[in-house]
Amino acid sequence: MNKPLFKKSAIAIALTVAFSQHAYAQQAAEAEPKLQRVEITGSSIKRTDVEASASVQVLTRDDIERTGQHTILGLLRSSSATATNLSSASSSSGSFATGASGIEMRNLGKVSTLILVNGRRIAPYGLADGAQENFTNLDAIATDAVERIEILKDGASAIYGSDAIAGVINIILRKDYEGGKVTVNYETADGFQDNRNRSASAIYGYGDIDKQGFNTYVTFEGYKRDGYTMGEMRGKYPDWYRQTPGHSTWDAKSTYSPTGNYFFNSAKIVARPGCPADQIDPADKLCKFDPLPYTGLTTNNKRYAAMSNTHFKIGANIDANFEITTAGATNDYIVAPLATFSTTTSNVWYNAVDGKMVGPFFYPKLPVGNNGNINPQAVELRARLMDTGDGFNFNRTESDQTRAMLSLNGTIGDYDWKSAAGYMTSSATKATRATSAKGYTDAIVNNTYKFGQKNDTALLEAMFPVRTTKGKSKISFFDATVSGAVAQLPAGPLSVAVGTDLRRESYEMASSDNVLRGDLVGIFGLQVKDTVSHYAVFSEATIPVVKKLELSAALRADKTSGSEAHVSPKVGLKFNATETLLLRGTASGGFRAPNIVESGNGLGRSSVATNVNDLRRCPIATTLNDLVQKSPTATATDKALSNTFLTNDCKASLPSFVKSNPDLKPETSRSYTLGMVFEPVKNWTLALDYYNIERKDEIGTRTVGDVLKGEASLPAGQLLRVDNTAADTEFLTLVKKYAPGNTVNFQNIGKLGLVYNPYVNSGKTKASGFDFDMSGKVKIPNVGDLRLKLEGNYALKYQVFQVADNAYGMNSAGNYDAGARLRTKLRASLKVGPLDHGVTVNYTGGYSLNSDDNENYCADNGVSAANMAACSRVRSNTTLDYNLAYTGIKNVKLALYINNLLNKDAQVNYRDTFTTPQFRTFAASASYSF
């Protein structure tokens, strides 16, 4: 007999399981199982009705296998609630945190989304992203060990402490496993086999916890992804890419060739004698080189993750788990041989040891008599140093991570208790080569580097030494919680939980000495090392106010050594308005404590902001570039050179130096949710939740765009501009070659040099929107149940406070900074005998390319009138995925996954640097159980 959904715990399951949760709810209702008290993410109190006052999305093991994903990042990206700006497969080789993957919610960044594994933190990745953000590396978690993933779409600092501002992702590993299973996977892109990955995993467990009192298992998985170059991807770039600002010559051959070209000035570039005939450009007679086959787009990634868990009983009332996890990875980027450098462009960087800017530095010209110079004057040679290839030039990140944890759970009378203690570490080392200001200059000026020859390794090492960044984090922790009913109220039991959380954390991250001393051209370093302790006490209660109304309340006090204590409150209401309608809401305060990089000891950090739009020079450079690009007689070489000048001002790099600040306050937030769960008809449920988050006292440097907006009011010396007369003269000379009457110039406005931008509590962000999901099933006679699930997010508002304007900026929901307003996924599954079919429709809405730092992007970047419509808005994107599993062979499961089944191209985007098309991909998986 079926009973009303909201009178059973089935409603909880129906609203939280990610793909087919309503199916599980109905099965629970039909079978009428004995209700068990369980703990869900977002509460420390076990209960039989697990539906809380905030939305929790659950990906079960079955859901995980349906995705065809074999990384934790891939699994989490299959939910519309999460997003990423850091993937080990595709992040830039210049990133601080290469070799790792992270996730965020609500566009509030990785540091505002708390990642837990079995309800506890893991050590942050050894290299802080952007040299500031300590985050959880998802690559360090064994995918095959995951039992389920719970995504709490609400702030939870009152339960978990720091970082849980946007939400919490709890990755729950298998507790028990009996028998063995081996799985292999392979994935590749349609028509582009270089874009591929494969993995293999094995798990074996022994013991029956009920009969033998223990279960132990071990799992291991290995993963490999191949890197590829722009050359391998050359034919995959769409025609429209050439129309985007600065990309009209993206694949043009380079004048930095093995033989080289003499650069006298923009109007006089001459091929160096000896260039092979097939490398001479027939149009301008210059010696050219194709760099794309040497320019890596993605990394060669190899990693492993392993886990062992032993589940055992201690006496009759204590349940214990001893867990050991370990992981390691190596990421190698494909990098090109090094080249000589422009002698007219200045370089500035920072000497952290002596606390001063280095530069402006200019690379030397080849003096008269140099082996590469046949001219009677000093000259710039643009040449590719091929003896720095073949593995000499490299970019590698190696990392490892471990955690050991003992957790105990039990009962004392009517009370539940749990406790855990553990130790964890994470370390990473990034190594690559850079140019020594002295070593390179000496080799050129002293005529010791021989162009066109294989030079001595010791000389090359002096010119291009190895630089490293090393980081390591360690955490030891202990926590304990007691919960249970303390009183019987007329409407039900009053349940409370109290607990404590103790952590000691150390972190260090440092650049090599040659970077800290400022020896290497344009390289920015950091050094930080400190230890802090975190202490917390917390309490939580669920209070049945009346029969259908329940109040939940939580309060947590956190204290970090060296800073003041912070108190985080949270209240929630859940009201069963009718048998088919549940109303719910929460109000909470959140916080993020300053991390060691931001507030600890050390010299501070240097960094480089990229794609910086110089508000004073970019409009001038755009006007000058248009005169070259629109000239019918301009050569490809001159157009490429003009694009380079444009990029230097409109997508420039701006060095900065940031000092740790021990006086920082925690970031704080206020968040509210209000929602409902509705069952309009049997077998169908609908959930809709509004969220509103306001974060303030954000820790960071002011955004570069914000600093440049207020340049006129900055204190003297905070923003340094440097003389760029030589390069500007070259640009103007080039323009006059095609527009002799040009009078536009740079008005003695220097090039951006360096900004001093210390950590401060100055930022604020607002985010609001709706989460929604709908699920149900349709019975197809003589076939089976067709299960449907729609889940998504609609962003109403996303605004960042602009310090220069003393006001919030534009609403970026639907604009470039925050992206599309609407993201949805519609999933359908149908099992017919041994075949299990699944289809997913992915939808991402369109958005404008305007942003706070570029409010009229297309017009400001000189996009032609013919392309203005294509540039003004990125259109919506819809793709279709299909998966099929076959279980008709005993102990064997075969699966096929086709993503982007209809092979739909990526939408036109005039602003992003186009790196990876939207491929159709094929994946296959096979597993054998024993």
Side-chain angles (χ1 to χ4, degrees):
M1 179 178 69
N2 289 305
K3 293 187 177 181
L5 181 61
F6 283 90
K7 289 188 175 181
K8 307 173 68 68
S9 65
I11 179 59
I13 305 170
L15 299 172
T16 56
V17 177
F19 297 165
S20 53
Q21 66 264 49
H22 189 76
Y24 294 124
Q26 290 303 310
Q27 291 168 6
E30 291 161 5
E32 303 245 1
K34 181 180 178 180
L35 302 182
Q36 300 291 324
R37 293 188 304 152
V38 297
E39 181 181 328
I40 61 168
T41 301
S43 176
S44 297
I45 299 174
K46 288 185 176 182
R47 53 204 303 188
T48 56
D49 182 1
V50 297
E51 177 57 36
S53 52
S55 175
V56 180
Q57 180 182 354
V58 179
L59 281 71
T60 67
R61 186 65 220 176
D62 183 60
D63 301 329
I64 289 169
E65 293 183 0
R66 282 184 179 278
T67 67
Q69 298 292 335
H70 304 292
T71 66
I72 299 296
L73 178 65
L75 293 177
L76 291 173
R77 292 178 72 177
S78 69
S79 167
S80 62
T82 61
T84 185
N85 60 4
L86 182 67
S87 167
S88 60
S90 59
S91 59
S92 165
S93 61
S95 166
F96 268 97
T98 50
S101 299
I103 205 78
E104 67 175 346
M105 298 172 64
R106 313 294 193 210
N107 268 313
L108 294 178
K110 299 183 292 297
V111 295
S112 290
T113 299
L114 178 61
I115 309 295
L116 304 174
V117 177
N118 284 344
R120 275 88 179 183
R121 300 166 187 258
I122 64 174
Y125 187 56
L127 301 176
D129 194 19
Q132 178 189 0
E133 295 183 339
N134 285 133
F135 67 99
T136 300
N137 177 22
L138 301 174
D139 292 344
I141 304 168
T143 310
D144 204 41
V146 177
E147 180 65 31
R148 68 184 187 276
I149 299 176
E150 297 179 351
I151 304 173
L152 174 65
K153 303 177 185 179
D154 190 17
S157 289
I159 308 297
Y160 300 109
S162 178
D163 309 335
I165 288 177
V168 178
I169 298 172
N170 190 7
I171 301 168
I172 300 168
L173 307 181
R174 301 178 193 263
K175 194 172 185 179
D176 300 287
Y177 194 89
E178 291 186 68
K181 183 179 179 181
V182 177
T183 304
V184 293
N185 312 283
Y186 182 84
E187 181 178 15
T188 188
D190 185 10
F192 188 43
Q193 293 186 359
D194 292 303
N195 181 12
R196 61 180 178 265
N197 65 75
R198 51 272 201 200
S199 63
S201 63
I203 184 170
Y204 181 77
Y206 174 76
D208 187 311
I209 190 68
D210 294 322
K211 296 179 181 178
Q212 298 167 281
F214 80 96
N215 176 269
T216 184
Y217 75 86
V218 62
T219 181
F220 179 90
E221 65 183 38
Y223 175 92
K224 186 177 189 300
R225 179 184 178 92
D226 292 346
Y228 52 85
T229 67
M230 288 184 69
E232 291 168 317
M233 192 117 102
R234 186 193 307 269
K236 310 299 180 183
Y237 279 65
D239 293 339
W240 57 261
Y241 183 63
R242 289 185 178 279
Q243 306 302 315
T244 62
H247 293 129
S248 61
T249 54
W250 72 270
D251 61 347
K253 290 186 176 182
S254 172
T255 55
Y256 289 88
S257 60
T259 303
N261 298 275
Y262 292 122
F263 183 90
F264 296 94
N265 54 57
S266 297
K268 184 181 179 182
I269 308 175
V270 179
R272 182 169 171 247
C275 183
D278 61 352
Q279 295 181 22
I280 296 290
D281 189 317
D284 55 23
K285 309 305 180 184
L286 297 182
C287 189
K288 299 289 184 69
F289 172 76
D290 183 5
L292 297 192
Y294 300 88
T295 306
L297 278 179
T298 65
T299 173
N300 287 309
N301 174 250
K302 296 183 291 185
R303 62 178 184 260
Y304 75 89
M307 183 212 175
S308 171
N309 185 74
T310 300
H311 178 199
F312 58 99
K313 294 286 187 180
I314 302 177
N317 296 319
I318 299 179
D319 191 71
N321 281 273
F322 181 62
E323 165 205 318
I324 300 176
T325 60
T326 183
T330 299
N331 291 264
D332 280 299
Y333 283 87
I334 302 168
V335 290
L338 294 157
T340 57
F341 304 91
S342 170
T343 63
T344 56
T345 301
S346 62
N347 297 269
V348 296
W349 63 98
Y350 200 76
N351 178 336
V353 174
D354 297 325
K356 63 181 182 181
M357 185 179 81
V358 181
F361 168 84
F362 290 87
Y363 284 102
K365 292 184 178 182
L366 271 60
V368 175
N370 181 277
N371 69 91
N373 184 11
I374 63 171
N375 301 282
Q377 65 192 77
V379 69
E380 175 183 326
L381 174 63
R382 297 190 167 181
R384 188 76 51 174
L385 312 181
M386 299 305 290
D387 56 347
T388 63
D390 297 325
F392 177 82
N393 192 18
F394 71 101
N395 191 314
R396 180 179 301 118
T397 302
E398 297 178 311
S399 62
D400 59 75
Q401 188 146 351
T402 63
R403 182 173 84 162
M405 181 178 75
L406 175 65
S407 61
L408 303 174
N409 301 267
T411 59
I412 300 177
D414 295 331
Y415 294 94
D416 299 312
W417 63 270
K418 64 176 183 177
S419 181
Y423 179 75
M424 60 194 86
T425 66
S426 177
S427 63
T429 299
K430 177 179 178 178
T432 186
R433 293 194 180 276
T435 307
S436 166
K438 183 179 187 305
Y440 181 87
T441 300
D442 287 349
I444 299 301
V445 173
N446 297 335
N447 200 21
T448 52
Y449 181 83
K450 305 302 180 183
F451 288 93
Q453 300 179 28
K454 175 67 176 178
N455 285 267
D456 183 70
T457 301
L459 175 64
L460 297 180
E461 293 278 0
M463 297 173 67
F464 307 106
V466 173
R467 66 179 180 97
T468 62
T469 304
K470 297 182 179 181
K472 188 170 187 177
S473 63
K474 300 178 183 178
I475 297 179
S476 54
F477 71 93
F478 170 81
D479 63 58
T481 305
V482 178
S483 63
V486 297
Q488 186 66 35
L489 302 180
L494 167 62
S495 297
V496 300
V498 294
T500 186
D501 184 3
L502 310 175
R503 283 180 289 127
R504 185 165 179 80
E505 177 180 1
S506 66
Y507 182 75
E508 57 184 290
M509 183 173 174
S511 302
S512 49
D513 289 345
N514 53 6
V515 175
L516 295 175
R517 291 192 306 263
D519 296 343
L520 307 182
V521 180
I523 304 301
F524 308 88
L526 59 88
Q527 185 182 69
V528 61
K529 181 179 181 179
D530 212 340
T531 299
V532 297
S533 296
H534 306 278
Y535 314 91
V537 292
F538 54 87
S539 62
E540 183 183 355
T542 58
I543 307 165
V545 181
V546 294
K547 185 177 181 181
K548 294 185 177 182
L549 178 64
E550 180 184 270
L551 169 69
S552 60
L555 191 68
R556 179 176 170 124
D558 286 87
K559 174 72 169 68
T560 298
S561 55
S563 64
E564 297 182 356
H566 182 83
V567 176
S568 302
K570 183 170 185 174
V571 294
L573 284 172
K574 184 183 68 171
F575 177 52
N576 289 297
T578 69
E579 292 182 344
T580 58
L581 178 63
L582 174 85
L583 303 178
R584 60 188 180 187
T586 65
S588 62
F591 84 106
R592 182 179 78 85
N595 64 36
I596 290 175
V597 175
E598 296 162 335
S599 62
N601 295 325
L603 298 176
R605 71 172 177 91
S606 304
S607 65
V608 182
T610 57
N611 292 327
V612 174
N613 178 28
D614 188 333
L615 298 176
R616 298 176 68 188
R617 286 177 59 94
C618 180
I620 299 170
T622 299
T623 299
L624 294 172
N625 185 52
D626 282 348
L627 294 173
V628 177
Q629 301 299 331
K630 295 176 181 178
S631 170
T633 60
T635 65
T637 298
D638 286 346
K639 285 185 176 182
L641 181 59
S642 183
N643 277 335
T644 299
F645 284 123
L646 174 72
T647 298
N648 288 338
D649 289 315
C650 298
K651 293 184 178 180
S653 296
L654 176 60
S656 66
F657 182 75
V658 183
K659 180 69 175 173
S660 300
N661 182 359
D663 298 323
L664 288 171
K665 300 183 295 183
E667 296 180 356
T668 59
S669 68
R670 293 180 297 179
S671 61
Y672 308 92
T673 68
L674 184 63
M676 65 140 190
V677 186
F678 182 46
E679 186 189 27
V681 295
K682 179 183 174 182
N683 292 339
W684 288 90
T685 57
L686 168 68
L688 179 66
D689 291 274
Y690 168 77
Y691 64 89
N692 186 303
I693 303 172
E694 183 173 7
R695 183 176 60 181
K696 63 180 182 178
D697 293 326
E698 291 176 11
I699 300 168
T701 57
R702 291 173 58 186
T703 66
V704 171
D706 192 36
V707 171
L708 295 182
K709 271 187 179 181
E711 181 177 352
S713 61
L714 291 176
Q718 184 171 350
L719 177 66
L720 304 180
R721 287 185 177 271
V722 297
D723 180 41
N724 202 54
T725 303
D728 292 348
T729 299
E730 294 289 351
F731 195 4
L732 294 171
T733 300
L734 175 64
V735 172
K736 282 186 175 294
K737 182 176 178 180
Y738 299 103
N742 172 61
T743 59
V744 177
N745 60 60
F746 284 97
Q747 305 166 26
N748 295 318
I749 300 171
K751 179 179 171 61
L752 291 173
L754 180 76
V755 60
Y756 290 89
N757 206 4
Y759 287 123
V760 291
N761 290 104
S762 65
K764 292 191 285 187
T765 304
K766 293 179 180 179
S768 62
F770 289 96
D771 294 314
F772 57 89
D773 67 68
M774 181 175 64
S775 62
K777 69 177 181 178
V778 178
K779 194 168 189 66
I780 302 176
N782 302 318
V783 177
D785 290 336
L786 173 64
R787 307 185 189 281
L788 300 173
K789 165 68 180 176
L790 173 69
E791 57 106 352
N793 171 265
Y794 183 85
L796 286 174
K797 187 174 290 187
Y798 183 86
Q799 290 180 284
V800 175
F801 190 78
Q802 304 295 310
V803 176
D805 299 335
N806 194 32
Y808 275 99
M810 67 168 59
N811 180 10
S812 293
N815 286 341
Y816 180 75
D817 286 336
R821 286 182 179 271
L822 180 62
R823 293 179 172 86
T824 66
K825 292 180 180 290
L826 174 63
R827 299 180 173 90
S829 63
L830 176 65
K831 188 170 184 179
V832 183
L835 295 176
D836 190 355
H837 302 266
V839 173
T840 302
V841 180
N842 309 282
Y843 175 84
T844 302
Y847 57 94
S848 164
L849 290 180
N850 297 329
S851 60
D852 277 316
D853 64 345
N854 212 321
E855 297 180 2
N856 296 285
Y857 174 80
C858 300
D860 292 346
N861 283 274
V863 174
S864 67
N867 291 326
M868 190 62 68
C871 175
S872 62
R873 187 171 182 81
V874 177
R875 296 182 180 273
S876 63
N877 185 42
T878 304
T879 60
L880 180 68
D881 303 335
Y882 173 73
N883 63 273
L884 173 66
Y886 175 72
T887 54
I889 304 173
K890 185 179 179 181
N891 297 335
V892 173
K893 182 176 181 179
L894 304 176
L896 171 69
Y897 307 90
I898 306 176
N899 293 331
N900 191 15
L901 179 66
L902 303 181
N903 202 23
K904 186 172 181 180
D905 291 335
Q907 296 299 326
V908 176
N909 187 325
Y910 268 56
R911 186 163 182 178
D912 278 355
T913 299
F914 191 84
T915 54
T916 305
Q918 186 170 272
F919 289 110
R920 175 167 54 200
T921 63
F922 299 97
S925 175
S927 63
Y928 176 75
S929 301
F930 55 93

